[in-house]
Amino acid sequence: MRKSGILMHISSLPSKYGIGKMGKSAYDFVDFLVSAGVKCWQILPLSPTSYGDSPYQSFSVYAGNPYFIDFETLKREGLIKKSDYEDIKWQDNDHQVNYSIIYNNCFKVLRQAYKTYKRDISKRYKTFVEKNSSWLDDYALFMALKFKNNGKPWYEWDKKLAMRDSNALKKASEELEKETEFFKFIQYKFFRQWSNLKKYANDKGVEIIGDMPIYVSYDSVEAWVSPELFQFDKHKKPKDVAGCPPDDFAVTGQLWGNPLYDWEYHKKTGYKWWIDRLQFSASIYDIVRIDHFRGFESYYAVPYGDETAENGEWRKGPGAELFKAAEKALGKLNIIAEDLGFITEDVYKMLADVGYPGMKILQFAFGEDSTNEHLPHNFTSSNCIAYTGTHDNETLKGWVSSQSSDTLKYCMAYLGVKKKKDIPKNIIKQTWASVAQTAIAQMQDFLNSDASARMNTPSTLGNNWQFRTSEDDFTDKLAKRILKLNKMYNR
């Protein structure tokens, strides 16, 4: 079935509290999607953000972001009063998230909710804790220790704790019992609110496309608890780290700094860690987009300590074997493969072997010639997802303002338009008109937002992940325009 989607993270939802939340505005957005005939809502990873505020650098692959917990829902449940959160200054700009303000205030409100709740820990809470104990116990202790250590990464903690000495861990668990319970409570409330929101969307015929980063952060509970998963030395330091080689977009490459997986170890375990992770992702999303999918065929390894990614090398990954093992254990998986970047014949073969749809990006289509694989006339199959741009791209309006005259000349000829200002809406039309099974645009592109609304500029720190919408953006007029587009192109 042909369908369409809108890409917008929870953080970008309208809110009086500095960042989007899983409350009324989230439900209103689902209603907006329904009225616009949109069947998919694509979000970024739901994980807690750490260094650089990126959802792709998280403390945990399982935990949910506390910032998204809706205060008004907690108030209705009798856990907090209006004065606990309404008297706080949550933002200094209506259109940008200020993560520092959120970090310094969000946990105060959640602690008040926990203080009220813990007097009567419910059966439902206990069931959640038991069901998720495989990751929740370690995560809660990790976060309690992190707060005790003023936010320092685990590898800067006391050496015995960093290396998980059993006596040190036992002592910390006893001392921080109340604090670890608080972090379990946060996750309970997060997943209660998320499951209710997802059910509402699904009941309305809207699927959630969630994002699963390929890598974990070095400062994560996984790196602290399970060093055997990674290419670490005996001191739990990475031997090499993840990145991308130099190209036209980044002349010294992209140095991500994430630990690399010990694929030999994962193979010996039958890829159990990955199967568990995929199973969890499939339980909280309807469709899972796997970031940097090409890294499963070959990954780029940069020596730990290098300041750029220029001295890296390509090494073989597990390929399709991992996903065949996962499908044998879990059944058919609903996955989108982010197959962007340096793509080789071996990557194309892996994609063909697993059968997952890859991605086509219209912003990448006009820089070369008529053979560019991202041009709609070159889509060889409907088994792909067409995007105007991803969270790493400029907004369409911003893209137009940054392109060369030759690129714009070709683009305008291809689209059949005579004015630059008409390019964005016609790129959306081309995306929707394509044979791709699903067509997706960033919310910013429907709003015709300029470059200031860009979600992320890769390889940069600061000014990313901040884009926010307001209630005024989601008009009946816009919903009707998108609905007309969906009807015109049978989506």
Side-chain angles (χ1 to χ4, degrees):
M1 183 180 78
R2 286 168 64 82
K3 53 192 175 185
S4 68
I6 290 180
L7 166 56
M8 187 179 77
H9 197 28
I10 304 286
S11 62
S12 299
L13 287 164
S15 169
K16 294 187 290 186
Y17 309 112
I19 194 168
K21 293 184 172 288
M22 298 180 291
K24 183 177 183 299
S25 65
Y27 289 80
D28 288 345
F29 183 63
V30 170
D31 292 341
F32 173 84
L33 295 176
V34 173
S35 64
V38 173
K39 299 289 186 188
C40 298
W41 177 7
Q42 181 170 338
I43 59 173
L44 304 184
L46 286 171
S47 326
T49 52
S50 60
Y51 181 66
D53 308 315
S54 168
Y56 296 88
Q57 293 282 359
S58 178
F59 298 135
S60 166
V61 301
Y62 289 106
N65 192 334
Y67 300 164
F68 300 158
I69 295 173
D70 182 54
F71 298 149
E72 287 161 0
T73 302
L74 297 180
K75 176 186 166 288
R76 282 196 302 274
E77 293 171 346
L79 297 179
I80 50 177
K81 303 189 296 289
K82 243 185 181 181
S83 57
D84 290 326
Y85 58 91
E86 286 224 325
D87 297 340
I88 296 170
K89 181 189 174 187
W90 290 102
Q91 57 200 38
D92 51 15
N93 185 325
D94 291 346
H95 302 292
Q96 290 183 315
V97 178
N98 184 320
Y99 285 93
S100 177
I101 292 176
I102 306 294
Y103 175 79
N104 287 324
N105 291 289
C106 181
F107 291 100
K108 294 175 187 174
V109 179
L110 295 176
R111 283 184 191 282
Q112 182 56 47
Y114 172 61
K115 191 176 172 183
T116 307
Y117 189 78
K118 71 175 183 178
R119 296 177 193 146
D120 179 28
I121 297 294
S122 71
K123 186 178 177 183
R124 187 177 270 169
Y125 167 80
K126 289 172 183 171
T127 301
F128 171 82
V129 170
E130 287 167 13
K131 184 181 175 186
N132 293 280
S133 61
S134 61
W135 65 268
L136 186 58
D137 292 349
D138 288 329
Y139 171 75
L141 180 58
F142 176 86
M143 292 305 296
L145 282 165
K146 178 169 276 293
F147 269 65
K148 185 184 177 185
N149 285 276
N150 299 313
K152 285 182 182 176
W154 64 264
Y155 43 85
E156 292 181 13
W157 298 349
D158 175 81
K159 190 176 179 183
K160 286 188 175 180
L161 279 172
M163 298 304 290
R164 292 182 60 79
D165 171 82
S166 57
N167 290 331
L169 281 178
K170 185 172 184 293
K171 186 181 176 187
S173 298
E174 290 168 356
E175 285 179 359
L176 297 170
E177 185 179 0
K178 288 182 180 178
E179 189 75 347
T180 56
E181 283 297 321
F182 167 61
F183 284 103
K184 290 177 184 179
F185 165 79
I186 287 177
Q187 291 306 304
Y188 169 64
K189 282 300 168 188
F190 175 90
F191 282 106
R192 282 286 298 155
Q193 290 192 8
W194 173 249
S195 63
N196 288 339
L197 175 59
K198 181 179 178 293
K199 183 178 186 305
Y200 183 82
N202 290 167
D203 288 348
K204 295 267 186 172
V206 174
E207 293 178 299
I208 304 292
I209 302 176
D211 208 318
M212 193 181 95
I214 181 173
Y215 292 122
V216 306
S217 171
Y218 185 26
D219 186 23
S220 67
V221 63
E222 286 79 21
W224 178 54
V225 171
S226 305
E228 68 277 5
L229 300 174
F230 307 100
Q231 296 180 29
F232 285 169
D233 65 18
K234 64 181 181 180
H235 303 294
K236 287 165 67 167
K237 281 190 176 177
K239 297 173 185 175
D240 301 290
V241 293
C244 268
D247 58 21
D248 292 342
F249 298 100
V251 291
T252 61
Q254 294 181 36
L255 184 61
W256 300 336
N258 305 77
L260 295 168
Y261 296 108
D262 181 342
W263 286 118
E264 283 302 311
Y265 171 83
H266 286 279
K267 184 172 184 173
K268 284 175 190 169
T269 63
Y271 302 104
K272 182 184 184 306
W273 184 81
W274 280 98
I275 290 169
D276 290 346
R277 191 179 173 195
L278 284 163
Q279 184 176 34
F280 182 82
S281 295
S283 73
I284 62 169
Y285 307 129
D286 298 301
I287 303 163
V288 181
R289 173 194 176 272
I290 300 181
D291 191 57
H292 195 59
F293 193 81
R294 70 100 53 241
F296 292 100
E297 189 282 317
S298 293
Y299 60 93
Y300 193 68
V302 182
Y304 180 60
D306 277 18
E307 294 184 3
T308 72
E310 293 167 282
N311 299 318
E313 65 176 19
W314 288 101
R315 297 175 188 164
K316 279 291 179 187
E321 183 181 273
L322 184 159
F323 297 97
K324 288 179 178 175
E327 296 213 337
K328 187 177 180 183
L330 305 174
K332 183 67 180 169
L333 297 168
N334 205 350
I335 284 173
I336 297 170
E338 190 263 287
D339 57 339
L340 308 175
F342 178 61
I343 306 302
T344 63
E345 286 303 316
D346 286 340
V347 178
Y348 287 124
K349 183 179 184 305
M350 177 179 70
L351 268 173
D353 286 347
V354 296
Y356 305 144
M359 292 169 57
K360 305 294 182 185
I361 312 296
L362 271 285
Q363 278 191 36
F364 294 161
F366 303 103
E368 298 165 16
D369 56 33
S370 60
T371 64
N372 187 305
E373 69 172 290
H374 296 281
L375 285 166
H377 67 258
N378 289 324
F379 294 4
T380 56
S381 161
S382 62
N383 188 37
C384 63
I385 315 295
Y387 289 80
T388 56
T390 74
H391 64 273
D392 284 334
N393 289 104
E394 297 181 82
T395 64
L396 283 176
K397 189 174 182 179
W399 178 82
V400 169
S401 67
S402 68
Q403 297 307 297
S404 68
S405 56
D406 285 347
T407 297
L408 292 177
K409 187 177 177 182
Y410 179 73
C411 180
M412 290 164 73
Y414 189 91
L415 299 173
V417 301
K418 295 183 177 176
K419 296 178 181 176
K420 283 198 296 186
K421 70 179 181 67
D422 292 330
I423 290 175
K425 66 181 180 184
N426 281 282
I427 284 182
I428 295 174
K429 284 183 73 174
Q430 278 287 343
T431 307
W432 258 241
S434 74
V435 297
Q437 65 183 45
T438 307
I440 297 175
Q442 292 192 89
M443 192 66 223
Q444 295 96 308
D445 293 340
F446 282 119
L447 297 173
N448 202 29
S449 304
D450 63 23
S452 66
R454 182 171 183 165
M455 192 60 164
N456 179 52
T457 304
S459 294
T460 65
L461 274 176
N463 302 315
N464 292 322
W465 320 107
Q466 296 177 353
F467 168 70
R468 297 177 65 197
T469 57
S470 63
E471 288 181 13
D472 297 343
D473 289 329
F474 304 99
T475 62
D476 290 342
K477 183 179 179 183
L478 178 58
K480 286 175 182 173
R481 179 159 70 85
I482 299 171
L483 180 63
K484 185 178 178 182
L485 198 63
N486 283 320
K487 286 183 174 178
M488 182 180 291
Y489 297 112
N490 187 31
R491 293 199 179 277

